[in-house]
Amino acid sequence: MDKRKLAVMTSGGDAPGMNACVRSVVRTTLHEGHSIFGIYGGYEGLINGELMPLNRHSVSNIIQKGGTFLKTSRSETFKHKSGRRRAAEMLKEWNVEILIVIGGDGSFHGAHYLYEEQGIPVIGIPATIDNDIYGTDLTIGYDTAVTTALNSIDKIRDTAASHNRLFIVEVMGRNAGFIALEVGICGGAEEILVPETKSDLKKLGEQIKTWSKAGKKSSLIVVAEGDDLGNANTIANKVKEAYNIKSHVCVLGHTQRGGSPTATDRVLASRLGFHAVKESLSGQEDIMVGWKDNSLNTIPLPESWEKKKPLDQDLMDLYSVLSS
Ligand code: F6P
């Protein structure tokens, strides 16, 4: 058997569970009798030649840690063909035959171009707290982010109820409302605003008035940062201006990206790392490995961003009943 050389990197926004995934990729590769490099700092690190051989012990004691020990970046240089050429040269210089990229859609675009233009075999593993990747029910980091945000929301509810206040809580999600929807359902939000559906200021203002008329003393609106009505601060200002309704704003921000991964994320990360290595060694390239309907799902990498993953309609219906 030919001993092959793989490389693994984390790229884009960090997500809890990335470490567990790197661990799985490294240990599976070694178990299969091959060797593996870690690329430090995502595509930027690759361009700068920041590669290090990894062994079993390099990935000891990291399964429980948030962030990514390989570091990550959003590389501007790699967005240009010249940057990708340099990256490919680097991989060839180090005799790397297969590149495994753990990240979100921006990172997958980059990986696909590296394959298409430079002929580098790539495999994508979906990791982003946003969960906005087609072809997988869950992305690595999403479950932890929801759990973290929910912890904060439960606390906000306590103070909102004590003071009879309206809170507008902003969660992450530039283009997607997966976190907002799930957190809103679990936190018992009166309203959930997501980028996938049109938000209406008039409707929102009237709804808030109905809540107080119905005797609600405190309420909670969860908004995804990328909602079309604006972020939490903008919405609070609009509601005040148009309806003279006072609210308090809490932006959960990057707290949602940190922390120890949940069991669900650790299992998902371990599974996808294992399957990514297996698929790549069997000759698959330019694909993403995902987990769908309780089994492994592989799709061509471009499909992961070309097809849009819809929000769970059942949850949308559920929330409108439960919040009324
Ligand atoms: O990685 C996804 C994400 O957390 C989005 O939800 C958010 O809009 C964005 O990253 C923030 O990115 P950065 O940390 O680079 O500002």
Side-chain angles (χ1 to χ4, degrees):
M1 181 189 71
D2 279 351
K3 199 169 151 113
R4 310 193 67 189
K5 256 189 202 151
L6 280 70
V8 58
M9 68 154 78
T10 50
S11 169
D14 61 323
M18 278 181 160
N19 282 326
C21 189
V22 173
R23 171 180 180 271
S24 170
V25 166
V26 169
R27 293 201 170 164
T28 308
T29 304
L30 300 176
H31 182 261
E32 295 292 311
H34 304 284
S35 64
I36 184 149
F37 286 103
I39 298 168
Y40 286 79
Y43 290 121
E44 202 61 32
L46 172 56
I47 290 166
N48 296 328
E50 289 172 36
L51 287 83
M52 290 268 281
L54 298 176
N55 59 37
R56 282 190 70 76
H57 303 299
S58 323
V59 290
S60 293
N61 197 24
I62 62 166
I63 193 168
Q64 78 284 17
K65 291 191 177 140
T68 160
F69 87 104
L70 284 180
K71 309 282 175 107
T72 184
S73 63
R74 299 193 195 272
S75 172
E76 276 307 309
T77 325
F78 194 77
K79 287 188 182 150
H80 304 284
K81 200 170 179 176
S82 55
R84 294 193 288 271
R85 196 179 313 119
R86 182 80 200 106
E89 281 164 9
M90 211 39 103
L91 289 170
K92 285 174 191 158
E93 207 172 286
W94 289 75
N95 298 317
V96 170
E97 296 162 67
I98 298 164
L99 175 64
I100 296 182
V101 177
I102 305 169
D105 69 335
S107 310
F108 289 174
H109 274 81
H112 173 65
Y113 294 137
L114 198 58
Y115 169 76
E116 211 175 49
E117 297 165 4
Q118 313 291 336
I120 304 287
V122 294
I123 304 271
I125 303 181
T128 162
I129 64 161
D130 289 353
N131 199 29
D132 58 346
I133 306 275
Y134 182 84
T136 189
D137 291 337
L138 291 176
T139 56
I140 297 166
Y142 170 66
D143 187 66
T144 308
V146 167
T147 306
T148 303
L150 187 59
N151 253 316
S152 302
I153 286 193
D154 288 346
K155 289 176 180 137
I156 291 166
R157 266 220 175 274
D158 290 345
T159 177
S162 306
H163 284 269
N164 295 338
R165 283 175 174 166
L166 164 67
F167 262 86
I168 306 182
V169 182
E170 180 183 309
V171 296
M172 272 190 167
R174 219 178 345 213
N175 308 305
F178 291 94
I179 298 180
L181 180 57
E182 192 156 333
V183 155
I185 296 264
C186 299
E190 274 68 25
E191 179 64 88
I192 305 172
L193 303 174
V194 292
E196 288 85 346
T197 58
K198 184 131 189 53
S199 303
D200 181 339
L201 180 62
K202 190 157 174 267
K203 198 171 139 225
L204 182 63
E206 277 158 13
Q207 254 173 347
I208 300 173
K209 285 186 183 158
T210 323
W211 300 336
S212 57
K213 271 192 207 135
K216 257 189 200 297
K217 298 264 185 287
S218 69
S219 18
L220 189 75
I221 298 172
V222 174
V223 56
E225 62 179 325
D227 187 69
D228 54 308
L229 208 52
N231 62 20
N233 277 303
T234 309
I235 295 174
N237 290 337
K238 284 182 178 169
V239 166
K240 172 87 180 96
E241 224 167 79
Y243 300 98
N244 200 25
I245 295 170
K246 193 171 174 315
S247 61
H248 283 69
V249 166
C250 183
V251 178
L252 300 185
H254 286 79
T255 56
Q256 295 159 94
R257 285 237 298 255
S260 181
T262 58
T264 298
D265 270 328
R266 294 184 205 190
V267 171
L268 179 70
S270 304
R271 264 195 219 281
L272 294 185
F274 170 84
H275 286 296
V277 172
K278 290 290 216 182
E279 291 295 314
S280 70
L281 292 175
S282 74
Q284 294 286 343
E285 40 192 40
D286 199 30
I287 60 156
M288 183 196 88
V289 294
W291 194 252
K292 208 168 176 339
D293 301 328
N294 246 343
S295 48
L296 175 72
N297 189 36
T298 60
I299 56 168
L301 202 45
E303 223 171 82
S304 67
W305 69 83
E306 282 167 3
K307 294 196 176 165
K308 191 158 169 58
K309 179 167 159 184
L311 284 181
D312 185 334
Q313 191 52 47
D314 192 51
L315 276 191
M316 294 288 275
D317 298 343
L318 185 65
Y319 125 72
S320 56
V321 172
L322 298 186
S323 64
S324 58

